[in-house]
């Protein structure tokens, strides 16, 4: 049983038992000298527990400190005590324990502990003694906390930059691209292989494909711009960047990257038949009349022409005010569903607005039935 007595000087045993005695005592000391582990044992019918020097060191106590169960429980962090203050009661009921919790040492520093303990039954079959081992796992918790912090920072950065984060397999094929699927409306099956290129503008597709295949072939960073047909039927410019994640032997484990929205660059609608025609590379098929995607400027102009507030327009279209805000913001990173944008257009047209999309001219608005 690992008790403090095992660590005290003892009389030299006889020759027959010496190797075993020295081995046990020295092994225990060797383990405890790491500073990360301590042992205890106790009669469960009493309050006093015997603890090794390593136990005292982890708890920040002087070696001569007399320990009781209550003393040890009181050192548990107040926020953890409700969940882990029952450990002695659990042992006295005959059940083993395995717990992870914080303590506050006398110098006010905090440590994370992993505690394993077993129960030894007496001759009458009731719990008699307990023995346990305590590990200082503070370093592991600090490492995990740092990793979670880095993860949270990365997620915040992606949200702040309106980025699409993607992960591809070692051969360059799509792996984890949920944000791309949300951006484009593609399904997981549709984007497999080189299917993701179907959402890239036909004029940009060959160049984008060549840039990606060159990066994969040469295990080189990837950086290119292209237009993406978004789920709302509007093409938007994105800067795509990626890099290989390498194994220790230099082989590629996976590819990671982002697609960053490029504000201020030309974007235009391609709803309904026009969107499908553009994605298929057939520009001969024009847009279906009345289904062209209206621009943020057209919505603002139409609302001003009618003297409507954002609240008024939201009520007419049966959408939220935040939806109107997104539709009127040319740099909004949040995409609006096509049917929602169409509902806003229909509401404005019903109120007397006609949207213009003449070839070679800027998009505009005018009073319905008026020709210039």
């Amino acid at each position: 049983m690992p008790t403090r007595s095992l660590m005290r000087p003892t009389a030299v045993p006889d020759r027959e038992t010496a190797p075993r005695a020295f081995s046990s005592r020295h092994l225990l000391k060797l383990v405890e000298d790491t500073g990360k582990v301590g042992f205890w044992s106790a009669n469960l019918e009493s309050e006093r527990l015997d603890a090794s020097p390593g136990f005292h060191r982890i708890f920040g106590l002087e070696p001569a400190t007399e320990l009781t169960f209550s003393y040890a429980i009181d050192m548990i962090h107040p926020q953890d005590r409700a969940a882990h203050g029952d450990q002695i009661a659990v042992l006295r009921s005959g059940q083993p324990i395995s717990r992870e919790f914080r303590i506050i040492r006398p110098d006010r520093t905090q440590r994370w502990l992993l505690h394993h303990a077993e129960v030894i039954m007496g001759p009458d079959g009731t719990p008699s003694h307990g023995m346990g081992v305590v590990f200082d796992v503070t370093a592991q918790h600090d490492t995990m906390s740092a990793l979670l912090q880095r993860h949270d920072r990365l997620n915040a950065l992606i949200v702040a930059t309106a980025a699409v984060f993607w992960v591809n397999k070692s051969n360059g094929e799509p792996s984890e691209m949920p944000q791309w699927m949300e951006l484009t409306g593609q399904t997981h099956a549709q984007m497999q292989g080189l299917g993701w290129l179907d959402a890239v503008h036909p004029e940009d597709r060959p160049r984008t494909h060549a840039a990606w295949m060159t990066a994969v072939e040469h295990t080189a960073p990837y950086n290119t711009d292209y237009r993406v047909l978004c789920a709302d039927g509007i093409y938007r410019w994105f800067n795509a960047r990626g890099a290989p994640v390498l194994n220790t032997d230099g082989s590629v484990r996976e590819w990671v990257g982002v697609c960053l929205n490029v504000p201020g660059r030309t974007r235009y609608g391609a709803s309904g038949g026009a969107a499908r025609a553009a994605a298929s590379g057939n520009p001969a098929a024009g847009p279906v009349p009345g289904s062209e995607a209206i621009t943020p400027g057209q919505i603002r102009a139409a609302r001003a022409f009618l003297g409507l507030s954002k609240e008024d327009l939201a009520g007419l279209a049966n959408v939220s005010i935040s939806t109107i805000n997104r539709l009127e913001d040319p740099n909004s990173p949040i995409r609006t569903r096509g049917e929602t944008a169409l509902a806003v257009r229909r509401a404005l047209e019903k109120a007397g607005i006609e949207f213009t999309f003449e070839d070679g001219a800027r998009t505009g608005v005018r009073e319905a039935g008026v020709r210039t």
Side-chain angles (χ1 to χ4, degrees):
M1 181 180 300
T3 67
R4 187 168 50 189
S5 61
L6 288 176
M7 305 300 294
R8 295 170 179 164
T10 58
V12 178
D14 57 45
R15 292 179 181 273
E16 186 174 333
T17 60
R20 180 181 302 174
F22 280 125
S23 175
S24 299
R25 188 168 67 251
H26 292 169
L27 179 59
L28 181 60
K29 183 177 185 303
L30 178 63
V31 171
E32 289 211 332
D33 281 348
T34 65
K36 304 295 184 182
V37 63
F39 302 94
W40 68 268
S41 65
N43 183 334
L44 293 178
E45 295 180 357
S46 70
E47 272 290 310
R48 182 176 175 275
L49 60 88
D50 290 321
S52 68
F55 187 99
H56 284 78
R57 184 163 50 244
I58 290 174
F59 276 74
L61 302 173
E62 293 295 329
T65 304
E66 292 292 334
L67 286 175
T68 63
F69 287 132
S70 298
Y71 190 102
I73 293 298
D74 286 343
M75 292 184 68
I76 296 178
H77 193 289
Q79 294 179 1
D80 298 344
R81 198 173 298 154
H84 300 289
D86 64 340
Q87 295 182 65
I88 306 307
V90 171
L91 290 172
R92 285 172 173 164
S93 71
Q95 299 297 316
I97 58 174
S98 180
R99 304 285 186 88
E100 200 164 310
F101 53 90
R102 292 167 293 175
I103 62 168
I104 299 179
R105 304 199 293 192
D107 62 1
R108 309 310 298 168
T109 58
Q110 295 185 26
R111 308 301 292 179
W112 274 97
L113 304 186
L114 174 61
H115 181 208
H116 296 298
E118 296 284 346
V119 177
I120 300 174
M121 297 296 183
D124 59 354
T126 61
S128 173
H129 288 74
M131 57 189 302
V133 57
V134 175
F135 299 93
D136 186 336
V137 293
T138 305
Q140 293 91 317
H141 269 269
D142 289 345
T143 300
M144 181 59 67
S145 177
L147 289 174
L148 291 175
Q149 188 178 59
R150 290 176 61 185
H151 180 268
D152 292 341
R153 287 173 178 170
L154 176 60
N155 281 343
L157 183 61
I158 290 173
V159 172
T161 57
V164 172
F165 180 73
W166 50 266
V167 178
N168 282 10
K169 301 174 185 176
S170 59
N171 62 0
E173 293 187 359
S175 175
E176 299 176 28
M177 299 176 65
Q179 291 170 317
W180 176 268
M181 294 164 60
E182 182 182 356
L183 174 70
T184 64
Q186 285 187 311
T187 65
H188 185 268
Q190 289 172 336
M191 71 177 188
Q192 291 306 300
L194 294 175
W196 61 274
L197 282 168
D198 292 340
V200 176
H201 192 282
E203 295 177 1
D204 304 335
R205 202 173 295 159
R207 171 177 52 80
T208 301
H209 180 219
W212 175 239
M213 296 310 296
T214 298
V216 172
E217 181 179 353
H218 297 281
T219 315
Y222 169 67
N223 188 348
T224 190
D225 291 351
Y226 51 74
R227 287 163 288 183
V228 175
L229 179 59
C230 299
D232 60 3
I234 294 178
Y235 275 105
R236 292 179 174 86
W237 279 99
F238 283 84
N239 172 240
R241 302 186 179 201
V245 179
L246 304 180
N247 295 310
T248 55
D249 61 359
S251 61
V252 177
R253 182 167 73 241
E254 62 185 5
W255 290 79
V256 296
V258 294
C259 294
L260 303 170
N261 183 254
V262 183
R265 295 198 64 173
T266 304
R267 65 181 189 174
Y268 50 88
S271 296
R276 290 187 292 272
S280 65
N282 178 17
V288 177
S291 67
E292 304 92 341
I294 55 178
T295 67
Q298 284 179 299
I299 298 175
R300 292 195 302 270
R303 190 166 56 78
F305 186 90
L306 296 171
L308 298 175
S309 66
K310 292 182 179 180
E311 291 80 0
D312 294 334
L313 179 54
L316 290 174
N318 195 28
V319 299
S320 66
I321 297 175
S322 60
T323 295
I324 302 300
N325 288 331
R326 289 196 298 271
L327 286 170
E328 292 191 358
D329 181 4
N331 296 317
S332 173
I334 303 176
R335 297 165 296 282
T336 303
R337 295 173 62 88
E339 54 266 33
T340 303
L342 188 60
V344 173
R345 173 174 180 166
R346 294 291 181 257
L348 290 169
E349 289 175 334
K350 187 175 181 180
I353 289 295
E354 181 179 344
F355 296 96
T356 61
F357 302 91
E358 285 86 356
D359 292 338
R362 296 180 61 183
T363 57
V365 300
R366 62 190 174 200
E367 185 179 357
V370 176
R371 294 291 184 269
T372 57

